[in-house]
């Protein structure tokens, strides 16, 4: 694609881009994706409250189908500007979907399946990455004529969602709490559960509504000011930042060099990368089933601990790989161990926790905060890691190890277990941590609920 940028510029000006200009254009193209993700995250609150969760996801398909068409036709149009614009639009799509999908599924799911369904979006993200890695093999679409097709097929999943999602119900919590439509909420629950008796769940949603009615909609600014939500907001920021700043993108960036140093043939590195992607999918699939068995807290602690250990050992292995013959193989083991650890907890659990630790009135604003931290952290790592690598070399991963350790300590000290609890019960746990008598200090309803047990 860099050649396409250069050749296109030559066709226009009869001159090639300088190395600096080509690198700058490529950097802009890459950075447009996380920048779009940030924009998409900032749009979440407005869209989900105006259009609903399902309506937002339907609209979001525009931000996938249009750029797929633009990128697929960019070679014919001889325009690298279409690619840059498309990266921005796809980023907006990713920013919206990465927040709205877990919110939608979390509100649809019964409490005994909420964790499993909350991990499913991350599972399909890993499947998408694996499919892209397979299609991106040099023997398939990573060719001079195949890359526009590779970029264009990204619109196919969005087209399928546009066809199928209208047949799914809107979030019952959105219908009851925000649209004030009990009949539609009850019908949506009946479709989801497959039976008529949904009165118990409707009552739980109504209790949540009554508990929050005095508070009204909670904006992002108000979210930061409310003492009753202090530890929830801090936890979301720490976990989302830890997820991205723990070095997951840096590991993938560095992986090819590690494979090459271990003696893997240059042409075969792409197949090892596909193997790593397969491990990612398998472990995330496992997480779907163990999240309700072990709980969210255990998976976060286990995942970040594995990542911390992998980063420490990888640092030593990279520093000694020129002196000890088997160190490159230890480096590969560390990469795989890191991928396993991240797929178990740090990747899937933070977005799930945002759904669980906030009630309806503050959930959309919380996702805006979490999504913004996610994409800003993603952008920051992509921007500064090449400079860190140049400055620190093999010791770059010490920084990521420290972040993994700090996030593990925070999770151990602060984050409670939310498995098999209603949203009200979870917020009562945080009410004790925030030293307030109930979810919202200006409302008395929750004082009648029995005190929860704080599980650690």
């Amino acid at each position: 694609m860099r050649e396409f940028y250069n050749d296109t510029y030559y066709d226009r000006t009869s001159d090639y881009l300088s190395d600096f200009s080509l690198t700058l254009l490529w950097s802009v193209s890459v950075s447009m994706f996380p920048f779009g993700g940030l924009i998409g995250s900032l749009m979440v609150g407005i869209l989900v409250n105006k259009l609903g969760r399902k309506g937002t996801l339907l609209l979001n398909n525009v931000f996938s189908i249009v750029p797929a068409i633009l990128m697929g036709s960019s070679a014919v149009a001889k325009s690298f500007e279409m690619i840059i614009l498309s990266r921005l639009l796809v980023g907006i799509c990713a920013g919206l979907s990465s927040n709205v999908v877990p919110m939608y599924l979390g509100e649809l799911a019964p409490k005994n399946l909420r964790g499993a369904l909350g991990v499913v979006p991350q599972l399909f993200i890993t499947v998408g990455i694996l499919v892209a890695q397979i299609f991106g093999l040099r023997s398939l679409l990573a060719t001079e004529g195949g890359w526009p097709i590779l970029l264009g097929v990204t619109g196919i999943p969005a087209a399928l969602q546009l066809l199928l999602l209208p047949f799914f119900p809107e979030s019952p919590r959105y219908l009851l709490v925000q649209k004030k439509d009990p009949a539609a909420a009850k019908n949506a629950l009946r479709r989801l559960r497959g039976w008529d008796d949904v009165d118990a769940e409707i009552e739980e949603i109504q209790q949540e509504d009554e508990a929050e009615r005095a508070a009204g909609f909670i904006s992002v600014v108000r979210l930061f000011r409310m003492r009753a939500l202090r530890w929830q907001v801090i936890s979301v920021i720490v976990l989302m930042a830890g997820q991205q700043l723990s070095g997951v993108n840096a590991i993938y960036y560095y992986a090819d060099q590690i494979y090459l140093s271990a003696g893997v043939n240059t042409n075969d590195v792409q197949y090892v990368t596909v193997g790593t992607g397969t491990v990612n999918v398998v472990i995330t699939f496992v997480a779907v089933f163990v999240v309700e068995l072990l709980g969210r807290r255990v998976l976060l602690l286990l995942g970040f601990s594995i990542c911390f250990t992998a980063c420490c050992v990888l640092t030593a292995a990279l520093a000694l790989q020129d002196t000890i013959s088997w160190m490159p193989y230890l480096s590969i083991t560390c990469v795989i161990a890191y991928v396993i650890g991240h797929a178990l907890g740090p990747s899937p659990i933070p977005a799930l926790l945002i759904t669980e630790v906030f009630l309806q009135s503050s959930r959309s604003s919380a996702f805006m905060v979490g999504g913004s931290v996610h994409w800003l952290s993603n952008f920051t790592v992509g921007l500064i890691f090449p400079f860190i690598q140049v400055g620190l070399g093999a010791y770059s991963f010490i920084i990521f190890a420290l972040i993994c350790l700090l996030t593990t300590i925070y999770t151990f000290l602060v984050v409670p277990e939310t498995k098999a609890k209603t949203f009200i019960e979870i917020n009562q746990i945080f009410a004790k941590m925030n030293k307030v008598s109930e979810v919202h200090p200006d409302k008395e309803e929750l004082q009648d609920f029995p005190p929860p047990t704080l599980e650690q």
Side-chain angles (χ1 to χ4, degrees):
M1 285 183 64
R2 289 183 182 231
E3 291 181 8
F4 169 70
Y5 279 35
N6 221 352
D7 291 343
T8 300
Y9 187 80
Y10 181 82
D11 290 341
R12 295 176 183 176
T13 65
S14 300
D15 194 14
Y16 287 109
L17 288 162
S18 66
D19 289 343
F20 173 80
S21 298
L22 181 58
T23 302
L24 179 63
L25 265 180
W26 184 252
S27 298
V28 169
S29 302
V30 172
S31 62
M32 280 295 103
F33 181 72
F35 180 64
L38 175 61
I39 294 173
S41 296
L42 295 174
M43 294 166 60
V44 168
I46 298 172
L47 291 179
V48 297
N49 291 319
K50 292 289 185 181
L51 304 178
R53 283 65 169 143
K54 174 182 167 182
T56 302
L57 289 174
L58 286 171
L59 173 65
N60 193 37
N61 291 308
V62 173
F63 294 110
S64 181
I65 294 173
V66 170
I69 295 171
L70 290 175
M71 288 188 291
S73 56
S74 59
V76 175
K78 296 184 181 299
S79 171
F80 52 76
E81 293 87 354
M82 291 170 64
I83 295 176
I84 296 173
L85 174 62
S86 298
R87 290 279 296 175
L88 176 66
L89 295 176
V90 170
I92 293 173
C93 173
L96 281 169
S97 61
S98 64
N99 290 290
V100 181
V101 170
M103 185 192 306
Y104 179 56
L105 292 180
E107 293 180 1
L108 294 182
K111 66 179 181 180
N112 62 312
L113 293 176
R114 196 169 59 228
L117 285 178
V119 175
V120 165
Q122 183 62 32
L123 173 63
F124 279 95
I125 288 173
T126 61
V127 170
I129 292 171
L130 177 60
V131 171
Q133 288 171 337
I134 293 172
F135 283 169
L137 294 173
R138 296 184 187 93
S139 57
L140 292 178
L141 294 179
T143 60
E144 186 175 347
W147 66 262
I149 301 173
L150 179 62
L151 298 180
V153 296
T154 56
I156 294 176
L160 290 174
Q161 187 185 89
L162 199 59
L163 291 173
L164 298 176
L165 189 59
F167 297 100
F168 288 77
E170 179 57 271
S171 162
R173 291 180 181 274
Y174 170 77
L175 293 171
L176 183 57
V177 176
Q178 291 173 263
K179 300 298 286 184
K180 309 299 180 186
D181 192 342
K186 189 170 287 190
N187 287 335
L189 269 178
R190 285 170 176 164
R191 288 180 61 191
L192 288 165
R193 303 296 180 255
W195 54 74
D196 292 334
D197 186 11
V198 294
D199 291 340
E201 284 195 74
I202 290 291
E203 184 179 353
E204 182 220 320
I205 299 172
Q206 287 174 332
Q207 288 173 348
E208 180 184 333
D209 183 27
E210 290 169 4
E212 294 198 294
R213 192 168 293 161
F217 171 72
I218 298 174
S219 66
V220 172
V221 174
R222 194 174 171 201
L223 195 72
F224 281 98
R225 290 178 176 174
M226 288 187 67
R227 179 179 175 182
L229 297 174
R230 181 176 299 164
W231 281 110
Q232 292 97 311
V233 173
I234 294 172
S235 296
V236 164
I237 292 173
V238 169
L239 292 176
M240 278 297 187
Q243 180 194 69
Q244 291 300 309
L245 299 180
S246 59
V248 60
N249 293 324
I251 284 284
Y252 281 108
Y253 179 87
Y254 215 99
D256 286 0
Q257 295 180 43
I258 293 171
Y259 299 148
L260 289 170
S261 67
V264 178
N265 186 281
T266 303
N267 193 53
D268 293 336
V269 166
Q270 57 182 332
Y271 300 107
V272 180
T273 301
V274 170
T276 307
T278 303
V279 171
N280 199 9
V281 171
V282 171
I283 300 302
T284 308
F285 183 76
V286 171
V288 171
F289 294 94
V290 300
V291 66
E292 294 296 353
L293 178 65
L294 299 178
R296 292 74 158 135
R297 176 181 158 84
V298 171
L299 290 184
L300 281 173
L301 290 171
L302 180 62
F304 275 114
S305 297
I306 293 173
C307 291
F308 165 71
T309 305
C311 284
C312 290
V313 177
L314 180 60
T315 300
L318 291 174
L320 298 173
Q321 68 178 0
D322 293 331
T323 57
I324 301 176
S325 60
W326 49 268
M327 278 297 168
Y329 303 103
L330 181 60
S331 299
I332 292 179
T333 303
C334 289
V335 169
I336 295 172
Y338 184 97
V339 169
I340 290 172
H342 216 274
L344 271 177
S347 286
I349 302 300
L352 165 62
L353 281 179
I354 298 178
T355 302
E356 294 188 319
V357 304
F358 290 92
L359 298 182
Q360 198 75 17
S361 63
S362 55
R363 190 171 290 130
S364 59
S365 295
F367 267 101
M368 288 176 65
V369 172
S372 298
V373 172
H374 170 99
W375 290 104
L376 279 172
S377 301
N378 184 304
F379 177 78
T380 300
V381 172
L383 184 67
I384 69 173
F385 178 71
F387 299 101
I388 294 174
Q389 185 188 10
V390 170
L392 297 179
Y395 299 97
S396 303
F397 291 97
I398 286 292
I399 297 174
F400 301 123
L402 179 61
I403 292 172
C404 289
L405 177 61
L406 293 175
T407 311
T408 304
I409 294 171
Y410 179 88
T411 302
F412 180 78
L413 295 176
V414 176
V415 178
E417 183 52 71
T418 59
K419 179 183 70 173
K421 290 182 172 63
T422 65
F423 292 133
I424 290 288
E425 290 170 340
I426 294 167
N427 274 269
Q428 285 179 326
I429 294 172
F430 275 100
K432 291 182 67 177
M433 295 169 60
N434 291 317
K435 293 181 172 57
V436 295
S437 57
E438 64 276 329
V439 178
H440 298 298
D442 53 356
K443 195 67 179 172
E444 300 298 326
E445 278 84 348
L446 290 186
Q447 292 179 345
D448 298 329
F449 283 84
T453 56
L454 184 58
E455 295 186 15
Q456 290 288 338

